[in-house]
Amino acid sequence: MSATLNTFIVEDNETIRENLAGTLEELACVTAVGFATSEIDACAWLHANPERWQLAIVDLFLKQGSGLGVLKACARRTPLQRVVVLSNYATADVRKRCAVLGADAVFDKSNEIDALVDYCIAQTALRGG
């Protein structure tokens, strides 16, 4: 059995979240271990479950709060944990700001889903999957 990438998804749109989880589970050996729709819920889950996740996928615009706050909450993660942003607003300025806050990558929802899948596959391979 191949390894899976335990992934926490921060996305307030239920349809996008379910489609993303399904796509990544099917194509990239990802297992969704949790989700949140707000900054406070995401930060609480990450704080309570520091060993359960290997990848966090974070949208910037949430029901309450911001994905930028979630990025800040991930600052103390282990070197093997990755945090990526998946947003409709992946402008050059947003990418730069996310990098400063510790994002490992930023993907545009509208045209970089394949790149996100490839990223997840590469991360799984690095873990021996």
Side-chain angles (χ1 to χ4, degrees), residues 60 67-68 71-72 75 77 83-85 90-107:
L60 293 179
L68 297 176
L71 286 177
K72 291 177 189 174
R77 68 187 184 271
V83 179
V84 301
V85 171
T91 64
D93 287 341
V94 166
R95 289 174 191 270
K96 190 179 300 182
R97 182 151 185 214
C98 290
V100 167
L101 292 174
D104 294 295
V106 178
F107 300 98

Side-chain angles (χ1 to χ4, degrees), residues 9-40:
I9 300 171
V10 184
E11 168 62 62
D12 62 347
N13 183 302
E14 183 178 1
T15 301
I16 291 172
R17 185 177 62 246
E18 289 177 359
N19 288 339
L20 178 64
T23 297
L24 293 177
E25 287 177 355
E26 182 178 335
L27 300 177
C29 294
V30 163
T31 300
V33 294
F35 72 89
T37 60
S38 70
E39 178 182 344
I40 195 164

Side-chain angles (χ1 to χ4, degrees), residues 24-127:
L24 293 177
E25 287 177 355
E26 182 178 335
L27 300 177
C29 294
V30 163
T31 300
V33 294
F35 72 89
T37 60
S38 70
E39 178 182 344
I40 195 164
D41 289 345
C43 293
W45 191 95
L46 290 163
H47 179 73
N49 298 280
E51 304 296 325
R52 275 193 70 200
W53 63 280
Q54 297 158 328
L55 173 67
I57 300 173
V58 181
D59 187 15
L60 293 179
F61 294 96
L62 304 171
K63 279 188 178 178
Q64 294 177 322
S66 164
L68 297 176
V70 178
L71 286 177
K72 291 177 189 174
C74 292
R76 301 173 106 176
R77 68 187 184 271
T78 71
L80 296 177
Q81 291 173 312
R82 300 286 179 252
V83 179
V84 301
V85 171
L86 180 64
S87 176
N88 284 322
Y89 304 96
T91 64
D93 287 341
V94 166
R95 289 174 191 270
K96 190 179 300 182
R97 182 151 185 214
C98 290
V100 167
L101 292 174
D104 294 295
V106 178
F107 300 98
D108 190 307
K109 282 182 186 176
S110 62
N111 60 16
E112 294 181 326
I113 297 296
D114 289 341
L116 174 61
V117 169
D118 291 344
Y119 181 89
C120 292
I121 291 169
Q123 290 301 310
T124 302
L126 287 173
R127 296 172 186 282

